[in-house]
């Protein structure tokens, strides 16, 4: 799920970059908050970068979980996958995160990690 989120965020950042550099941002409808359109796009790009970084951590934790290494990181990644505001794919990520937490709490799974 993290990989899907990373791809979606990269695509969104590409669209935002296109809007900024092509001048199409000036033709967007006005917003109600009184912030110019370019600033809004920069804020979205910054938020996308943060979400990409968090999802890279979740993806790395999932890879370590699959290879049964670094139990605390695997558990942290599973917990982060349950947080809804981290991913636009939260409706799919939450059940998988809960499932991973339940499996990681089993004593035999804890012992399997090196």
């Amino acid at each position: 799920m993290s990989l899907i989120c990373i791809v979606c965020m990269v695509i969104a950042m590409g669209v935002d970059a296109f809007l900024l550099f092509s001048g199409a941002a000036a033709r967007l409808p006005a917003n109600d908050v009184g912030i110019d359109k370019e600033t809004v796009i920069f804020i979205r790009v910054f938020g996308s970068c943060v979400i990409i970084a968090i999802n890279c951590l979740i993806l790395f934790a999932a890879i370590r979980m699959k290879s049964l290494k670094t139990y605390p990181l695997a558990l942290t990644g599973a917990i982060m996958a349950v947080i809804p505001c981290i991913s636009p794919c939260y409706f799919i990520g939450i059940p998988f995160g809960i499932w991973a937490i339940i499996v990681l709490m089993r004593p035999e799974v804890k012992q399997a990690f090196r």
Side-chain angles (χ1 to χ4, degrees):
M1 290 313 311
S2 292
L3 188 58
I4 292 171
C5 180
I6 291 168
V7 169
C8 290
M9 290 289 106
V10 168
I11 291 170
M13 286 175 58
V15 169
D16 286 337
F18 172 77
L19 289 174
L20 277 177
F21 297 121
S22 70
R27 293 188 301 265
L28 291 174
N31 56 29
D32 296 333
V33 292
I35 302 173
D36 68 352
K37 299 166 191 170
E38 288 81 11
T39 304
V40 171
I41 292 174
F42 280 121
I43 292 170
R44 279 198 322 237
V45 168
F46 177 75
S48 295
C49 289
V50 170
I51 290 174
I52 286 172
I54 291 170
N55 278 284
C56 284
L57 177 68
I58 294 171
L59 181 62
F60 180 68
I63 291 168
R64 299 298 286 183
M65 183 185 343
K66 185 176 179 197
S67 62
L68 296 174
K69 296 179 182 173
T70 322
Y71 179 80
L73 180 63
L75 187 58
T76 301
I79 291 170
M80 289 177 73
V82 175
I83 301 172
C85 60
I86 289 180
S87 170
C89 304
Y90 66 89
F91 56 90
I92 298 173
I94 290 175
F96 285 113
I98 292 171
W99 180 33
I101 292 169
I102 291 170
V103 170
L104 286 170
M105 289 295 154
R106 293 183 186 158
E108 63 270 12
V109 173
K110 285 182 184 180
Q111 291 176 353
F113 276 82
R114 294 179 240 158

